[in-house]
Amino acid sequence: MQTKAKRLFCLDTKKVAAMAIIIALYVLLSWLSKILNLAVFPVAPFLKIELTDFLMLLAVRLVGIIYATLLTISVSWLQMAYLGDGPIDVFALMLADLIFLIVFWLGDVFLRKGINRLIKNKTSKNTEYLITTSNVILAIIAVSFLMTLFNWLFIYDMYARFLNYTPEVIQWFKSILVPVIIPFNLLKFTINGAIFIAIYRVIIHLEKQFGIVNISSK
């Protein structure tokens, strides 16, 4: 237990370098996403796809859940400085990214342990891809529906309280939760999940280069 805790909190130069790379990629891709203006629902043009969420999964694999979480919180709030996003928008994006990476990490821990027990730790490349893909799918579904619930429970109310949105506007937001918000979140995180899976061979190589051991397999 102590060994696992040390691995979770261990911060060396390789992890610092990995975090610096992820931050640079996040800033670059968030700028690119803003320039591309990837709005997919004409009825809700404020919903735009960001090509940055897969970086949170990359962070989980390269620096571990603790520093990936801190990294997600940090880069999310930085958007207020270099993109001019509002605090509630940033909070919602941060919450979505945190759910995405935490659910992915939980799957990486428990699903991997279960499969390793079944096959007696003889994990093949195909099994590794299956585990990772399953974790990504689970994270996509979880974040899509949880963010819909959180929007309904308190995020839209935050817009009403702090940005003086009228009750009619909030009611309209809530009316599009199922027909628009859920499909949007599913699409957005599916795109990011697909990017993560597409570059997974590179990620495995990076894990080896940075000397990072996946503690979930231990």
Side-chain angles (χ1 to χ4, degrees):
M1 183 65 70
Q2 289 182 347
T3 302
K4 287 187 177 182
K6 286 181 180 179
R7 285 177 183 160
L8 281 173
F9 288 96
C10 175
L11 183 62
D12 54 24
T13 54
K14 290 182 178 180
K15 282 189 177 181
V16 172
M19 287 192 288
I21 293 170
I22 291 169
I23 291 171
L25 287 172
Y26 189 95
V27 172
L28 176 64
L29 290 175
S30 58
W31 268 110
L32 179 62
S33 299
K34 186 168 185 176
I35 292 170
L36 292 175
N37 193 28
L38 300 173
V40 292
F41 290 97
V43 69
F46 54 88
L47 295 175
K48 299 174 184 178
I49 292 173
E50 297 92 13
L51 302 174
T52 54
D53 303 292
F54 75 95
L55 291 173
M56 303 306 103
L57 306 187
L58 175 63
V60 171
R61 284 298 179 86
L62 295 188
V63 300
I65 185 62
I66 300 298
Y67 293 109
T69 300
L70 294 175
L71 195 64
T72 299
I73 295 170
S74 301
V75 295
S76 296
W77 289 103
L78 275 175
Q79 290 191 50
M80 290 181 63
Y82 69 89
L83 290 182
D85 291 345
I88 301 176
D89 295 331
V90 169
F91 172 76
L93 290 172
M94 179 194 71
L95 186 59
D97 283 342
L98 287 174
I99 294 170
F100 194 43
L101 73 89
I102 289 171
V103 173
F104 174 80
W105 176 75
L106 288 172
D108 224 21
V109 172
F110 295 107
L111 181 60
R112 188 179 301 277
K113 280 185 177 180
I115 291 178
N116 282 344
R117 286 178 181 175
L118 287 174
I119 62 177
K120 298 180 180 179
N121 293 318
K122 296 179 180 179
T123 306
S124 65
K125 288 184 178 180
N126 289 336
T127 305
E128 177 66 28
Y129 271 98
L130 176 62
I131 293 171
T132 301
T133 302
S134 299
N135 295 337
V136 170
I137 292 172
L138 179 63
I140 290 169
I141 295 171
V143 69
S144 298
F145 286 93
L146 282 175
M147 283 307 298
T148 300
L149 176 63
F150 292 157
N151 277 320
W152 183 75
L153 286 176
F154 61 86
I155 292 176
Y156 288 158
D157 291 334
M158 291 171 65
Y159 282 104
R161 180 173 182 179
F162 297 107
L163 298 181
N164 298 319
Y165 280 29
T166 64
E168 291 77 16
V169 172
I170 298 302
Q171 187 59 41
W172 179 80
F173 277 137
K174 291 184 177 181
S175 72
I176 65 170
L177 277 173
V178 174
V180 176
I181 302 299
I182 290 178
F184 170 78
N185 282 332
L186 286 170
L187 176 62
K188 171 187 171 182
F189 287 100
T190 296
I191 290 172
N192 279 275
I195 294 172
F196 182 78
I197 296 300
I199 64 170
Y200 192 62
R201 286 188 179 181
V202 177
I203 293 170
I204 293 174
H205 178 70
L206 287 173
E207 286 181 304
K208 293 177 181 178
Q209 288 296 313
F210 283 98
I212 295 164
V213 178
N214 193 337
I215 68 166
S216 60
S217 62
K218 296 297 182 182

